[in-house]
Amino acid sequence: MNIQKYISGLKIIGHISVVFMLLGVLFNACDEIDEPYIEEDTVVWHGRKILIMEFTAHRCPNCPEGHEEIENLQSAFPDAIVPVAVHCGIDAMPVTSDTTEPYHYDFTSDISIELGGDGGITSNGYFNISSKPTAAINEFAPGNLFNVQAWRSEVAKYIQTYPEFSIDIDPDYSEQDSLMSADVSVEAVLDSKRNLHLCVYVVESNIIEWQKTLEEPDGVEDYEHNHVLRASMNGVYGDVVSADNAAITVGDEFTNSYSMAVDDQWDLQNLHVVAFVYDSDSYEILQSEEIPLFDQ
Amino acid sequence: MIKITVKVLPLLMMCASLQLRAQEGRVTGNFQGDFQYYISDTTINAVSPDERLLMNSYANFTYHKGNFSAGLRYEGYLNTLAGFPGEVCRNDGVGIPHRWARFSKNGLEITAGNFYEQFGNGLSLRTYEEKNLGIDNSLDGVRVKYNPVFGLNITGLVGKQRYYFDYGPGIVRGFDAEIGINDVIKPLMDKMLRIRLGGSFVSKYQDDNDPVYVLPENVATTAARLNVNYKLFNLETEYAYKINDPSQDNNYIYKPGQAFLATSTYSQSGLGILLSTKWVDNMSFRSDRNAVLTDLNINLLPEITKNHVYTLAAYYPYATQPAGEWGIQAEIFYKFKRKTTLGGTYGTQIALNYARVHNIDKTQVSDTIPLNAMGTDGYKTQFFSVGEELYFEDINVEVSKKWTKKFKSVLTYQHLTLDNNILLQSEYHGMIKAHIGIADLTYKLNSDYSISTELQGMFTDQDKGNWALGLIEINAPNVFFTIMDNWNYGNPEKDQRIHYFTLGMGYVKGGSRIQLSYGKQRQGVMCVGGVCRMVPASNGVMLSMSSTF
Amino acid sequence: MKHVFFAVVLGLFFSVNLIQAQSFSNVQLKTLERQTVQSGDVIQNDEGPVLLCFWATWCKPCIKELNAYNELYPDWEEETGVKIILISTDNARSMHRVAPFVNGKGWEFDVYIDANSDLKRAMNVVNIPHTFLLNSEGEVVWQHTSYMEGDEAEVYEQIQAITVNNE
């Protein structure tokens, strides 16, 4: 009698296993997604800003090609490009001191000559520049210079990678003593072990002056010059943020304050502060940031 | 959709009332209305809405006849009370967003329309309503429950989730089975060791319209549970696993989710012991991957911390962190018997509770991808890993004693530690530590009248500093009066040392209750049954009425 | 249409008042051992009336109420045959506390768990504590919401009233 009941119990377990088999079928109907999780042909930017150090000059007719490509890249990757225009070489020098004449304006500076040279009169600069336009992309080292056609693919190498650091710039200006200052903090987003340098540069945009172009061999009078490198707040090669390959862990923050006197030639409304961190062994620029001196 | 129901349902109701007159079917129901008149008060940042008077109201009607029953709920928000979810437009208005019909016979029950359901502990599915929090995530669809033999219960359901007066974008499908081994296998029937097994499977469907990410359209959670009972000992565990479910909650990562819950209890007359633990890893589960706050949750991850009832003890409540947490709780209830030294004439009840919650260990999926980066596997973790960060710790003891026929007391002490960067109960950053002491005294004047008082104090150097609370309640037949002052006397900012003063009275008769109160309500977190919402500061007159018929 | 609706609603309000007895839908409850049972099968008492109390471990007045009943329960049981059945509305957070809690308090009642408030809804309970008195036919003959010190006297009067009627 008990056995009869036992069998009916087994039957129920049978029913249940059918039910669970059904469940298994249902479960197969689920969408387990394998990598890549991103749709084909889409670019996802994770916040790593790419520094393009462009070597240029106002009497270089090929150079506007580089300026255009910078603009193209900025519209293709909004917010992701930090350009710095380093005016250097013989064709960057002013030709006259008469301010009514073309090409009197001096786009060069101590730092631009240090980085790009004076066309070989004394040196070809830290970056050993022999032709223009050319650019160093996310790398603060001589040797790896790219001509305009290669910029986009070089940018593409970095655009989808994650930044190791985030940079926050808090600029200020004191009218009293014509001093501009910037509090720059670098925060680790990833763990690493690196020797780290931080550079803080000042660039100026919207300078309307002469520029030679291919179409107009004599030049265009009202050409807009942007991102012109003016000075560094902490030396051409920046200063050490982390040394001795010390372990850097997520959340670590390095904060420095800088200040410098402002040149009376500069238009304060057009000044921007650019900061970037690079690995002083591999020279890779790990993150960059740009912010206007005044909110616009 | 709602318009149609509004037109059809009165007809249904009319049929119901005709039936009623014929003394065949029966109609039961209830009504609840909360009205608040707001007065601006700049000292507490209370603002009066443009309408001045706001109302939330509900009326349920249920018709029963034999194996058939049907019901509906009329809801009116004119306009929604301040601080309720959906307050901003989504929930204003009136309508019948809840209606259902049910047939049950021979262990089979079929429901069409709105229903609430819970599988196991709710790790895979729990739809419920909590009017005081403005939560109603009922499913509208079809549910079949089948109980072929005693000890075996099967439930299947398909539905869309309610989203205020509308529906969420997803479809929810669920299945649950539970079997009592001792009930279905007859030779085991009389054994002291009783085992119950259960399993559930819940899947949601939502379109992938995202141009960037390849999102899973069907996401499932599977859960298994085991219950072992041996004499006075009981063990209950449940484990749930969810496949990749990138959502707003988890920053669109593709890591699967997990949750584990285990509780064991031992109890005999006069003694109860509870030990529980929980581990949660990326386990939020909603029918809309973009939903936030309390909207469209399919599952519920219960807190395993004590749900405090006294105002200051509940000032800093805990809320589950679905992104990841580990917790334990231990609780002992003991009754010192009557006529013993500690028990006195009537016995003494004591409850000791300890709870602790930590984060879980998370490591990067690779050196070049930060933790929890969108569109990646997010992070790696070991099952049941415990992190070093303390989220919450609560140790408390409660002693209840009846001293004489007329006088009794409940004394509570609590020590709390919480990380407000995680729990965000106020603007304060950092850890908050607080000591809380409460005395609840009741004195019976005669068989009709009694008076009770609560004296509460919270002492902390952080956040808003110390609080004191005094409450007096006078009970007479069918009527009660309360007067309460909640004073932030230790606020570091002197002009914020505010008295939150409230006067209230109520009348109760049978299944009906009406309550009127006037006063200030501080801004804070209100929790019911483990789910919390922020309540804005307010000042005004509140009228609540409810009736069951 | 609106007018018809309100007329019906109003009509219902009054007509239902005429109906004294109320029973309820059969819903699933759990025992303290987590056995699933049908409410209709367990909420009954052959000996006499049932006092059905909705409560929760986190509800202050409920605990005061049940402590009061517990003291009087042996006498009530003996005199009227009444059976007190508790329905805990504790959800997944606190339902595990119910068994140790009830035992720790030394309560001698039958307790069932209504973890998702199904029975609470079926009986149209708005706030707890809410107490129903059912006669031996399972019909609701009296109900009461909230608890104030001394309410147990009225509860006992109501129990006595129906047990006297029955005899």
Side-chain angles (χ1 to χ4, degrees), chain B residues 103-160:
Chain B
F103 177 79
S104 53
K105 199 172 185 183
N106 300 335
L108 181 71
E109 181 195 290
I110 299 170
T111 306
N114 296 77
F115 54 86
Y116 301 100
E117 180 60 61
Q118 175 173 342
F119 291 166
N121 291 289
L123 300 184
S124 58
L125 180 132
R126 184 184 189 221
T127 64
Y128 67 110
E129 56 163 335
E130 191 54 73
K131 292 192 186 77
N132 295 320
L133 296 176
I135 293 175
D136 188 331
N137 63 352
S138 71
L139 285 163
D140 190 355
V142 174
R143 177 182 70 184
V144 179
K145 279 180 178 258
Y146 187 44
N147 174 212
V149 287
F150 186 73
L152 175 63
N153 290 282
I154 299 169
T155 305
L157 57 86
V158 180
K160 273 180 96 68

Side-chain angles (χ1 to χ4, degrees), chain B residues 401-419:
Chain B
K401 186 162 174 65
K402 184 166 173 179
W403 299 88
T404 67
K405 239 181 165 153
K406 301 204 155 183
F407 180 64
K408 55 189 170 184
S409 67
V410 183
L411 302 176
T412 307
Y413 166 76
Q414 183 189 13
H415 178 64
L416 258 188
T417 308
L418 71 146
D419 184 348

Side-chain angles (χ1 to χ4, degrees), chain A residues 121-136:
Chain A
I121 299 173
T122 57
S123 90
N124 278 329
Y126 170 70
F127 278 92
N128 195 21
I129 303 300
S130 54
S131 71
K132 288 187 292 274
T134 189

Side-chain angles (χ1 to χ4, degrees), chain B residues 408 442 444 447-448 450 475, chain C residues 64 147-152:
Chain B
K408 55 189 170 184
T442 307
K444 206 164 161 177
S447 63
D448 286 338
S450 70
N475 291 321
Chain C
K64 289 184 180 173
Y147 172 75
M148 291 183 242
E149 213 57 49
D151 276 354
E152 54 274 13

Side-chain angles (χ1 to χ4, degrees), chain B residues 447-481:
Chain B
S447 63
D448 286 338
Y449 295 88
S450 70
I451 177 163
S452 46
T453 64
E454 278 177 24
L455 298 167
Q456 306 185 17
M458 179 164 76
F459 311 98
T460 174
D461 294 332
Q462 291 90 30
D463 198 18
K464 297 190 173 63
N466 299 346
W467 289 79
L469 184 146
L471 176 136
I472 297 170
E473 183 173 313
I474 299 161
N475 291 321
N478 297 332
V479 188
F480 63 90
F481 300 91

Side-chain angles (χ1 to χ4, degrees), chain B residues 53-181:
Chain B
L53 179 82
L54 297 174
M55 171 200 80
N56 285 8
S57 63
Y58 316 85
N60 277 294
F61 301 96
T62 310
Y63 170 70
H64 316 255
K65 184 171 188 266
N67 297 322
F68 176 79
S69 57
L72 62 83
R73 188 191 310 130
Y74 170 88
E75 300 185 12
Y77 306 89
L78 293 172
N79 280 333
T80 314
L81 288 176
F84 272 77
E87 181 196 357
V88 185
C89 326
R90 288 202 304 260
N91 208 27
D92 292 340
V94 295
I96 301 180
H98 187 93
R99 69 283 176 279
W100 54 274
R102 181 170 302 147
F103 177 79
S104 53
K105 199 172 185 183
N106 300 335
L108 181 71
E109 181 195 290
I110 299 170
T111 306
N114 296 77
F115 54 86
Y116 301 100
E117 180 60 61
Q118 175 173 342
F119 291 166
N121 291 289
L123 300 184
S124 58
L125 180 132
R126 184 184 189 221
T127 64
Y128 67 110
E129 56 163 335
E130 191 54 73
K131 292 192 186 77
N132 295 320
L133 296 176
I135 293 175
D136 188 331
N137 63 352
S138 71
L139 285 163
D140 190 355
V142 174
R143 177 182 70 184
V144 179
K145 279 180 178 258
Y146 187 44
N147 174 212
V149 287
F150 186 73
L152 175 63
N153 290 282
I154 299 169
T155 305
L157 57 86
V158 180
K160 273 180 96 68
Q161 224 169 355
R162 180 178 162 190
Y163 180 69
Y164 304 100
F165 280 113
D166 202 345
Y167 294 103
I171 301 173
V172 178
R173 293 82 46 110
F175 177 86
D176 183 81
E178 185 169 303
I179 181 164
I181 300 295

